[in-house]
Amino acid sequence: MPIDGLEPKLAGLRIVHLSDFHLGLPSRGSRAAGRAVEWTAAREPDLVVVTGDLVSRPRGEAMLRPLLDRLGDRCYAVLGNHDVEHSRDPFSRTVGLRDLAPATLLVDESASLEVHGRTVQLVGVDPRAYRERRAQPWRLVDPEAHLRILLCHFPYVLDTLPPGAFQLVLAGHMHDGQISLPLPSGKLRLANPRARYTSGLYQRGGTWMHISPGLGTTFVPFRFFARPEATELVLQPA
C-alpha cells in the first residue's frame, strides 16, 4: 500500500488484518478463523489488527481466547455490532467482551507503540458510538505520531474523517457480500447490492482504507463467491 508521507523507517511495515470471526455459531468460519490465526502467527507481522464481530454467541468466547493467545500482544482489536448485540441476525447473542488480553481492545481509545524506532498510533471506534453518530475518532489523533491507523468495524467511517487525520483505515463488516453471484458486469453481493464499500482497497483524499472480507458467517452458515480472507498489508512510501 502506498502511504503518503510514510517515514522511511516504516517502509515495509507488515500488518495482518483479520475480521468477522463470528465464533459460536455452527459455521465453517470457525475453521477459517483458526487457519487464519495460525497463518498469521507463522508470518510474524509487525502488527495484527482484528476489526470486530469476534463472537456471535456466548460459547464463542471459549473459542476466541486461544486464538488471541496465539496472536499475542502485538494484536489490537475493536468490537463489531454482533459483539454488542446490534444485529438483525436472530441467532446472534452478545457476550459482553471487555478484556481481550494479551490483545489490546480499543473502545473509543487510542494506543501508541514503537515500530522500527517510530511511533505508530492506533485508534479504535466503539460500534455503539458509531451507530449513534457520536463517534469522533479524530479527536484522539496524536499529531506527533509517524503513522496513524484507525480501526472501525464499519467502513463508512471513511466518509466522516477530516482530511489527513489518519493515513490508514481498517474495517470489516461487509463479508464481501457473503452470498454473491458472479455476473459479467461484476459481483452481485446479495447482502448489500448497493454498497459503495465492499472489500479490498479504497482511497479518499490522502487516506487509504482496507476492508477485510472477514472469516466467519452470519444468518446462514456458508459463503458463496465471497471467500474468507486473512490479509497482509505491506506499507511503502507513496
Side-chain angles (χ1 to χ4, degrees):
M1 298 185 65
I3 304 296
D4 288 339
L6 185 70
E7 281 272 328
K9 285 194 174 183
L10 291 176
L13 177 74
R14 295 186 299 122
I15 304 172
V16 169
H17 184 192
L18 309 175
S19 194
D20 295 88
F21 293 178
H22 289 283
L23 298 173
L25 295 173
S27 169
R28 294 181 64 189
S30 300
R31 180 171 178 267
R35 291 181 62 192
V37 166
E38 288 303 314
W39 178 83
T40 300
R43 294 197 65 78
E44 298 183 345
D46 298 296
L47 285 173
V48 182
V49 300
V50 187
T51 51
D53 279 356
L54 305 171
V55 295
S56 286
R57 298 284 292 187
R59 64 187 176 190
E61 185 173 5
M63 305 166 69
L64 174 65
R65 296 297 173 180
L67 299 182
L68 295 176
D69 288 343
R70 190 79 174 92
L71 294 174
D73 61 5
R74 283 266 160 154
C75 178
Y76 293 80
V78 291
L79 301 176
N81 54 299
H82 283 259
D83 298 313
V84 296
E85 206 166 14
H86 286 293
S87 169
R88 294 174 297 165
D89 185 346
F91 305 106
S92 182
R93 297 290 181 272
T94 188
V95 176
L97 297 172
R98 290 182 176 85
D99 180 11
L100 300 182
T104 299
L105 176 62
L106 300 174
V107 184
D108 280 347
E109 298 168 296
S110 72
S112 295
L113 68 157
E114 187 174 293
V115 182
H116 306 325
R118 292 293 182 264
T119 301
V120 176
Q121 183 190 27
L122 299 105
V123 174
V125 175
D126 183 345
R128 291 158 291 204
Y130 178 85
R131 290 172 64 89
E132 294 168 6
R133 300 184 180 181
R134 294 186 289 106
Q136 295 182 322
W138 53 89
R139 293 185 177 273
L140 299 174
V141 159
D142 175 8
E144 302 299 319
H146 299 100
L147 175 65
R148 296 180 299 277
I149 302 173
L150 179 66
L151 312 183
C152 182
H153 184 62
F154 304 101
Y156 283 94
V157 72
L158 181 66
D159 295 339
T160 72
L161 299 178
F166 299 92
Q167 291 107 314
L168 178 61
V169 177
L170 301 175
H173 188 57
M174 305 305 288
H175 293 209
D176 196 19
Q178 188 169 313
I179 309 297
S180 301
L181 300 177
L183 301 177
S185 58
K187 184 183 290 188
L188 174 62
R189 298 169 174 87
L190 298 183
N192 35 55
R194 295 183 177 87
R196 287 186 291 114
Y197 303 132
T198 54
S199 68
L201 297 175
Y202 299 85
Q203 188 181 29
R204 182 176 180 271
T207 301
W208 279 97
M209 176 171 67
H210 178 260
I211 304 175
S212 170
L215 295 156
T217 62
T218 187
F219 286 100
V220 293
F222 62 90
R223 290 171 172 253
F224 189 75
F225 276 92
R227 295 187 65 173
E229 181 177 305
T231 315
E232 184 179 67
L233 306 173
V234 182
L235 307 191
Q236 299 290 351

